[in-house]
Amino acid sequence: MNYFTTTFLEDAKKYLETLDRKSAAKLLYVIDAAEQTNDPKLFKKLSGEIWEFRSKYMGKQNRLLAFWDKTDGKETFVIATHGFIKKSKKIPSREIDKAEAIRQSYFFNKSNK
């Protein structure tokens, strides 16, 4: 049973393409596991409406930021916005701001279709 389905926006797809094969596979495995278990160790709320998928491989902490879309009432989607390698203890606020701007644009465009 899946708790949600993940949709990848263009920046998220591009980020996955930049990763080596094993790092990308690990991050995709984490996303798949999170969809099935809703485990907060795999998919964690950061700030406001922004969440992160987290994986670590060969010392690199890969992060893929995302937000929830529960607007159609039938299926719950998580929209992956973009990714980056976490290099410090705290998630850079510019990454959260970027994800929030993408979230706002996504819902604006969705409501104007």
Side-chain angles (χ1 to χ4, degrees), residues 7-109:
T7 300
F8 298 87
L9 297 181
E10 201 56 38
D11 283 352
K13 290 177 188 175
K14 285 179 184 173
Y15 177 70
L16 285 168
E17 290 170 4
T18 68
L19 297 176
D20 66 81
R21 192 174 56 75
K22 289 186 177 183
S23 294
K26 173 107 187 240
L27 190 51
L28 291 170
Y29 172 82
V30 165
I31 292 166
D32 185 55
E35 289 174 344
Q36 295 175 44
T37 63
N38 213 6
D39 183 346
K41 290 182 181 120
L42 303 174
F43 190 52
K44 174 183 160 191
K45 186 171 188 171
L46 288 179
S47 172
E49 300 297 320
I50 306 303
W51 293 64
E52 72 172 343
F53 290 106
R54 312 152 43 119
S55 77
K56 186 174 183 179
Y57 183 74
M58 300 291 289
K60 291 186 178 173
Q61 297 185 49
N62 293 298
R63 299 295 188 259
L64 197 62
L65 299 191
F67 59 88
W68 293 88
D69 179 353
K70 302 177 184 182
T71 57
D72 84 0
K74 296 177 193 138
E75 198 168 358
T76 299
F77 291 98
V78 167
I79 311 300
T81 61
H82 71 289
F84 61 95
I85 295 173
K86 183 178 165 208
K87 296 179 181 175
S88 63
K89 228 175 166 68
K90 202 171 179 196
I91 300 288
S93 60
R94 73 179 180 281
E95 300 293 353
I96 294 171
D97 294 345
K98 179 178 179 178
E100 180 57 33
I102 293 169
R103 186 186 79 79
Q104 289 178 13
S105 175
Y106 170 88
F107 284 115
F108 177 80
N109 291 335

